[in-house]
C-alpha cells in the first residue's frame, strides 16, 4: 500500500513565524502536491512538483514556498505565518504517466495548522 | 478552466436509505473522474474512478457512471450505513501532461451523516 506521511497532525504557531510542513511518500512517485482544505471551499492546490527540484504554482501559491530536494520528500514552507493561513494542509502523491493508477492521488492524513 | 460542481450538503440520511450525491463537471477534452472520501480526522481516500465515457466505477457498494452527454458523475449507494458518514469529494483530472501532470480539480465536498 502507498503510504504518505506528514510530519505533524496538529501544529500551533505564532504570526510571523516560519513554518515547515513535511511530507514523505514511500512509493517512488514522481508527482507530489500540497493542498489546503477550508470549510465551504473544498481543496485548493497550493503547489505541486513533478520531479526533484521542479515545482509549479497551483491556484493559491501566495505566502507559500516549497522544496523538493529528494524524490520522496516535499516540504511546504510558510515564510511568515499569518492568521489567514490557519487551515488543514493535505499532501498527496501520484505516479508517473503511463503507469497503472497514473492519475490517482494518494493523500496523507493532513496537518491542522493554527496560527495565533 | 476546469471545474467541478457537486451537491451542497450537508446530507442526512437514515441507515439503509438510498444515497445520491450529484456531480457535474466542465472540462476541455476527456477528463478522468473520481470520487474521494474523507472520514473524520483523516486524509482523502480514493473511493472510485472512471476514465472514459460510460465507464462505471464501483467500490464498497458505491457506484458512479461517467456520463459525457450530461457531463455528470453522480455517486449512488443503495443502502447506506452509519460507517459511510464522511465528506465526499468529486474530482476530475484533465491529464494534460507536461508540467501539469494530472492535477486534480475538486468539488467543494458534501458532508454525509447517516443516523442509526
Amino acid at each position: 500500500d502507498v503510504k504518505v506521511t506528514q510530519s505533524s497532525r496538529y501544529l500551533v504557531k505564532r504570526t510571523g513565524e516560519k513554518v515547515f510542513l513535511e511530507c514523505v511518500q514511500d512509493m517512488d512517485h514522481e508527482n507530489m502536491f500540497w493542498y489546503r482544505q477550508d470549510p465551504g471551499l473544498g481543496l485548493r492546490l497550493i503547489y505541486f512538483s513533478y520531479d526533484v527540484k521542479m515545482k509549479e504554482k497551483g491556484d493559491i501559491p501566495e505566502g507559500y514556498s516549497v522544496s523538493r530536494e529528494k524524490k520522496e520528500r516535499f516540504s511546504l514552507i510558510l515564510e511568515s505565518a499569518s492568521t489567514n493561513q490557519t487551515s488543514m494542509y493535505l499532501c498527496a502523491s501520484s505516479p508517473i504517466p503511463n503507469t497503472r493508477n497514473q492519475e490517482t492521488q494518494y493523500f496523507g492524513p493532513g496537518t491542522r495548522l493554527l496560527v495565533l | 478552466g476546469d471545474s467541478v460542481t457537486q451537491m451542497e450538503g450537508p446530507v442526512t440520511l437514515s441507515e439503509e436509505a438510498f444515497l445520491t450525491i450529484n456531480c457535474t463537471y466542465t472540462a476541455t477534452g476527456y477528463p478522468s473522474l473520481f470520487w474521494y472520501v474523507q472520514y473524520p480526522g483523516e486524509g482523502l481516500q480514493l473511493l472510485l474512478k472512471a476514465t472514459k465515457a460510460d465507464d462505471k466505477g464501483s467500490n464498497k457498494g458505491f457506484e458512479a457512471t461517467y456520463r459525457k452527454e450530461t457531463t455528470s458523475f453522480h455517486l449512488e449507494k443503495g443502502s447506506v450505513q452509519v460507517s459511510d458518514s464522511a465528506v465526499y469529494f468529486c474530482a476530475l483530472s484533465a491529464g494534460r501532461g507536461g508540467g501539469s501532470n494530472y492535477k486534480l480539480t475538486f468539488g467543494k465536498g458534501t458532508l454525509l451523516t447517516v443516523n442509526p
Side-chain angles (χ1 to χ4, degrees):
Chain A
D1 275 357
V2 176
K3 195 165 178 69
V4 180
T5 56
Q6 295 184 228
S7 50
S8 306
R9 293 299 300 271
Y10 300 95
L11 213 49
V12 180
K13 296 292 181 181
R14 298 237 172 244
T15 302
E17 279 192 75
K18 191 168 186 175
V19 181
F20 293 86
L21 303 182
E22 304 284 337
C23 175
V24 177
Q25 49 93 4
D26 68 355
M27 278 300 290
D28 202 35
H29 284 171
E30 257 65 22
N31 303 320
M32 296 188 75
F33 307 83
W34 275 107
Y35 297 89
R36 64 177 282 176
Q37 181 181 9
D38 300 287
L41 297 177
L43 272 75
R44 293 179 292 168
L45 181 64
I46 304 171
Y47 267 98
F48 66 101
S49 168
Y50 52 93
D51 202 351
V52 175
K53 297 192 187 295
M54 306 300 287
K55 60 185 179 186
E56 281 203 21
K57 293 179 180 179
D59 301 317
I60 52 163
E62 297 78 18
Y64 303 94
S65 62
V66 290
S67 172
R68 189 143 180 228
E69 296 296 318
K70 293 185 178 182
K71 190 175 186 180
E72 67 271 18
R73 188 179 297 269
F74 191 36
S75 302
L76 179 69
I77 303 154
L78 286 65
E79 297 289 344
S80 176
S82 63
T83 55
N84 63 13
Q85 292 178 310
T86 291
S87 187
M88 167 75 100
Y89 291 87
L90 292 165
C91 175
S93 71
S94 69
I96 58 171
N98 303 315
T99 59
R100 189 166 178 270
N101 295 323
Q102 61 188 5
E103 296 168 296
T104 300
Q105 290 187 13
Y106 298 86
F107 283 81
T111 296
R112 193 169 290 282
L113 173 67
L114 173 62
V115 182
L116 300 174
Chain B
D2 301 338
S3 67
V4 174
T5 303
Q6 66 180 98
M7 192 167 136
E8 296 272 337
V11 174
T12 302
L13 295 173
S14 298
E15 209 164 22
E16 299 183 4
F18 185 85
L19 169 71
T20 300
I21 301 178
N22 291 337
C23 172
T24 57
Y25 67 90
T26 302
T28 53
Y30 303 96
S32 294
L33 301 174
F34 303 81
W35 277 100
Y36 280 82
V37 59
Q38 184 179 34
Y39 297 105
E42 298 183 12
L44 277 69
Q45 303 173 24
L46 178 67
L47 180 60
L48 53 84
K49 69 177 185 181
T51 57
K52 59 183 188 296
D54 300 324
D55 267 3
K56 179 187 281 189
S58 61
N59 187 25
K60 299 182 181 179
F62 291 90
E63 293 183 339
T65 301
Y66 189 143
R67 301 283 187 205
K68 188 169 181 296
E69 63 277 12
T70 54
T71 62
S72 65
F73 193 55
H74 305 320
L75 182 69
E76 296 182 337
K77 186 175 186 183
S79 176
V80 294
Q81 306 301 312
V82 172
S83 57
D84 294 326
S85 298
V87 181
Y88 292 81
F89 291 92
C90 185
L92 71 82
S93 170
R96 293 194 178 89
S100 300
N101 277 338
Y102 306 111
K103 287 197 301 180
L104 290 178
T105 299
F106 286 89
K108 293 185 177 181
T110 302
L111 173 63
L112 170 67
T113 301
V114 180
N115 294 319

